[in-house]
Amino acid sequence: SAAFGSSPPLPDTPLHGVCSIDFDCDPARQPEMIAAALAEFEKRRAEPPSAEKVSSTLEVLRRGHEESLRTNGYWVGGLTACVMSTRYEHHKGDLARIYAERQTVQREVWAASTPETVRATLAETFPDSCLVGRRTVVTLLPEGEIPS
């Protein structure tokens, strides 16, 4: 699975976020899987996804969002993200305003998502230097297994 989270920046501040790619595999296959994930990421920076892929992904995101609105976990996580956001102090703790702002940004991003905007955003947000030296790899091994 893949995830990207960010904090809406204040004016004149850069976007800060985390991109994570998670997968299960035999620990011996870890280097192969990491190489495949990075190759796919690099491909997506160079080539736009199909319009069908963007459309189906947006539909899954919208449906998931609608379903999550009915869960306590969504609201706990969403309000916590608002409190932790750089917008919290800027809006003097007005959680309703921060939440509404985040939802507006989310709708705008979904509305503007096309194959080319997806590719361009990946290329701009993750320059080559990001893929080379600014990553952390964590491997969880079965209990009792010692890495060689």
Side-chain angles (χ1 to χ4, degrees):
S1 68
F4 176 72
S6 66
S7 190
L10 292 171
D12 303 321
T13 60
L15 179 67
H16 295 282
V18 173
C19 176
S20 67
I21 300 171
D22 306 312
F23 51 83
D24 294 327
C25 71
D26 179 334
R29 293 193 60 209
Q30 179 206 26
E32 170 192 351
M33 297 297 289
I34 290 170
L38 290 173
E40 183 65 23
F41 197 84
E42 195 56 43
K43 178 181 173 185
R44 292 293 153 225
R45 288 178 61 237
E47 302 171 18
S50 70
E52 295 79 25
K53 180 66 173 175
V54 172
S55 177
S56 65
T57 299
L58 288 171
E59 184 57 33
V60 167
L61 289 171
R62 284 186 191 104
R63 209 171 322 122
H65 180 71
E66 290 168 5
E67 291 173 13
S68 67
L69 288 170
R70 295 187 288 270
T71 68
N72 287 338
Y74 169 82
W75 290 103
V76 169
L79 293 174
T80 300
C82 290
V83 170
M84 302 304 291
S85 165
T86 56
R87 308 301 277 169
Y88 187 76
E89 287 183 31
H90 182 73
H91 290 312
K92 298 178 178 34
D94 185 346
L95 292 178
R97 183 172 177 190
I98 299 165
Y99 178 78
E101 194 175 80
R102 292 171 67 93
Q103 294 304 295
T104 298
V105 169
Q106 184 175 49
R107 284 190 299 274
E108 289 172 354
V109 167
W110 287 347
S113 293
T114 66
E116 183 51 32
T117 60
V118 170
R119 187 215 55 80
T121 299
L122 281 172
E124 181 182 322
T125 305
F126 300 100
D128 290 338
S129 62
C130 206
L131 297 177
V132 175
R134 295 180 52 197
R135 68 174 181 256
T136 301
V137 175
V138 176
T139 305
L140 301 176
L141 299 172
E143 189 173 342
E145 187 172 320
I146 299 172
S148 52

